[in-house]
Amino acid sequence: LIPGKPPLRILRTHAFGGWIDTKSSPPRLMTHDGSVLAADTECELGAGTDWYCSEDQEPVILHGGDRAGSLALGGMGAGKTTAGVMWTYFRWLEHIGQYREGGVTAPTNARIEVVIKEIANLLPQSWYRHLKAAGIVEMCDGTVLRLLSTHRQSASQGSRIQGFNWSWWLGDELQDQADEFVHIQARLRSGVGGKAKRLATATAKDESGWRELKDTIESSGEWTTHAM
C-alpha cells in the first residue's frame, strides 16, 4: 500500500476538504454540498492528497465529541506529531476564510523544526508558505499557524507565549513545557463560540510537575485522553 512500509489493511476511508477559492473575498471552500467537511469532493475537484493513519491516531485526528481538549499519550515513534499536524489541518478547514491564527508550541526550537518537517511531508507546497523569520506558516487563504518554542533562557525572561490570540492550539511534547501550560491556555481567547480546540501530545515522564498537570487535565472534564 505504501512503498517501503510494512503491509497495511484499509479499515475505512474518509474524504474531506475541497478546493479553496482564494480569489473570493473572503476565501471560501468549494465543495459539492457546501459543507466544509463534505464526503464526496474528489470526483470533480481533483485527486486530492492521500493520508494514512493508525486506529489509535484516527480519533485524535478527527477530534470527535464535545470536549475542547485532547491529550495524546504515547512513546517516541508512536506517530503523535503526525497526528497533530493532521489534526491541525482540520482546524484550518473549520476556519477557512476567517483569517484566524492557531498556535503550535514545542519545548525547543529543534522540536519545532520536527513539526515543520512533518507539515512539509503532509501538506502540498501549494497549500501554504513557511515564513521562517516570522515563525509562521501562512495557509493559502490567509490562516496563520504560529510556531513557538516555549523554552526560556531564564525565569526572568517571561513567557514567549504572551501577546497572541489563538483559535486553536497544538502542543507537541507537553511534558517538557508543563510550566507554560497556564500561559498557553490564556492565549485561547479567539475560539469560535469561546471554545478553542486544543491537542497536546506527550511522552511518559517521571516528574512531579508533569504528573500534577496530567492529573489536572484528565480530571477537568474538558479533555479526552488517547493512548497511542
Side-chain angles (χ1 to χ4, degrees):
L1 186 61
I2 306 177
K5 299 293 184 180
L8 301 175
R9 180 166 59 93
I10 296 176
L11 301 177
R12 53 191 158 269
T13 62
H14 307 278
F16 297 102
W19 279 5
I20 298 176
D21 181 0
T22 58
K23 300 299 183 183
S24 174
S25 183
R28 62 193 182 103
L29 187 67
M30 306 285 287
T31 67
H32 288 294
D33 62 4
S35 170
V36 170
L37 303 180
D40 60 348
T41 58
E42 291 192 350
C43 59
E44 295 178 10
L45 299 179
T49 295
D50 291 329
W51 288 343
Y52 301 91
C53 70
S54 68
E55 287 187 275
D56 290 337
Q57 289 173 312
E58 182 186 36
V60 176
I61 296 164
L62 297 181
H63 199 117
D66 59 359
R67 294 188 177 185
S70 287
L71 178 63
L73 304 173
M76 298 299 293
K80 302 186 299 297
T81 302
T82 299
V85 172
M86 292 180 178
W87 177 91
T88 300
Y89 163 80
F90 284 98
R91 306 291 76 75
W92 174 38
L93 279 189
E94 291 172 348
H95 298 88
I96 280 177
Q98 299 178 27
Y99 302 108
R100 290 180 179 265
E101 179 171 307
V104 179
T105 67
T108 63
N109 286 324
R111 194 67 208 178
I112 284 289
E113 288 298 321
V114 172
V115 177
I116 292 170
K117 288 179 180 178
E118 196 60 28
I119 291 173
N121 183 50
L122 290 170
L123 305 186
Q125 289 186 349
S126 60
W127 292 11
Y128 72 96
R129 59 177 181 158
H130 178 210
L131 303 176
K132 188 171 184 176
I136 66 172
V137 167
E138 183 179 51
M139 309 307 292
C140 59
D141 70 319
T143 298
V144 168
L145 307 178
R146 188 170 298 278
L147 302 112
L148 289 171
S149 162
T150 55
H151 175 70
R152 301 192 203 187
Q153 297 293 337
S154 66
S156 62
Q157 185 177 7
S159 174
R160 302 180 66 185
I161 307 301
Q162 294 177 2
F164 300 112
N165 291 309
W166 294 337
S167 296
W168 66 92
W169 166 64
L170 168 64
D172 193 55
E173 301 294 351
L174 181 61
Q175 79 282 351
D176 291 327
Q177 45 178 327
D179 290 345
E180 293 298 315
F181 183 78
V182 64
H183 300 294
I184 292 168
Q185 301 312 292
R187 300 301 102 210
L188 298 173
R189 298 180 293 199
S190 296
V192 176
K195 193 173 184 179
K197 290 184 179 179
R198 57 210 74 186
L199 168 62
T201 71
T203 305
K205 182 178 183 180
D206 187 17
E207 192 271 326
S208 61
W210 165 238
R211 289 197 303 270
E212 291 173 4
L213 175 58
K214 179 175 174 291
D215 289 345
T216 298
I217 288 173
E218 293 184 319
S219 63
S220 68
E222 298 178 357
W223 291 70
T224 300
T225 300
H226 302 273
M228 294 180 60

